[in-house]
Amino acid sequence: MSAETESRRHEIERRNESACPVVEAIEQVGTPWRMNVVHALEGGEKRFNDLKRATGARSKTLSDALDELVENDVVVRRVEEDAPVAVYYALTTKGEELLDALSGLDDWAQEWTAEAADGSSTGLRGR
């Protein structure tokens, strides 16, 4: 990375220092598929195929989302070696606390997003 690019990156980080923790959190869990997985695990531990049904994700998409969530310590993966091998996923303490934090965002979304009659999002509504 060039010195100019590095200098620019540091300047941007300095100016946005107070937003950085939020930006970092969104980078860890901010994709729709990751959020769907977190929501699906709200009720407790689930197997891969249960999560597939709950989210409607394709296997590769779900696998990628789970890998990222496990890497970011939001979800824990547990393997039972009995035949047949079973893999279970559950929220970590960090994931449970994320659900609590998302509750406020859900309240905000309910207040500020408009839904079309067919349930598709029509975007943010103003006052």
Side-chain angles (χ1 to χ4, degrees):
M1 185 179 307
S2 74
E4 183 179 332
T5 304
E6 184 72 17
S7 174
R8 174 78 174 132
R9 185 177 65 80
H10 287 296
E11 175 65 16
I12 290 168
E13 287 175 358
R14 185 188 62 74
R15 288 184 184 207
N16 296 294
E17 193 169 15
S18 64
C20 284
V22 174
V23 170
E24 185 177 331
I26 289 171
E27 286 176 359
Q28 288 185 22
V29 296
T31 68
W33 287 115
R34 289 183 213 159
M35 298 309 300
N36 285 334
V37 170
V38 169
H39 178 71
L41 289 171
E42 184 174 12
E45 186 176 69
K46 289 188 176 49
R47 293 179 71 166
F48 184 87
N49 284 335
D50 295 330
L51 287 170
K52 223 175 126 178
R53 282 188 291 279
T55 63
R58 293 185 175 146
S59 294
K60 172 80 169 110
T61 301
L62 179 58
S63 180
D64 290 348
L66 285 165
D67 288 348
E68 288 292 323
L69 290 168
V70 168
E71 183 177 315
N72 291 317
D73 194 34
V74 175
V75 169
V76 64
R77 181 179 189 264
R78 180 175 67 86
V79 179
E80 282 189 5
E81 298 293 337
D82 298 335
V85 173
V87 180
Y88 295 88
Y89 296 91
L91 293 174
T92 61
T93 301
K94 183 178 177 181
E96 292 286 346
E97 289 183 13
L98 173 62
L99 280 175
D100 292 341
L102 291 175
S103 176
L105 183 58
D106 182 56
D107 292 343
W108 179 86
Q110 295 295 325
E111 173 70 22
W112 289 100
T113 59
E115 295 291 322
D118 66 359
S120 62
S121 178
T122 59
L124 296 176
R125 64 177 182 214
R127 286 194 181 243

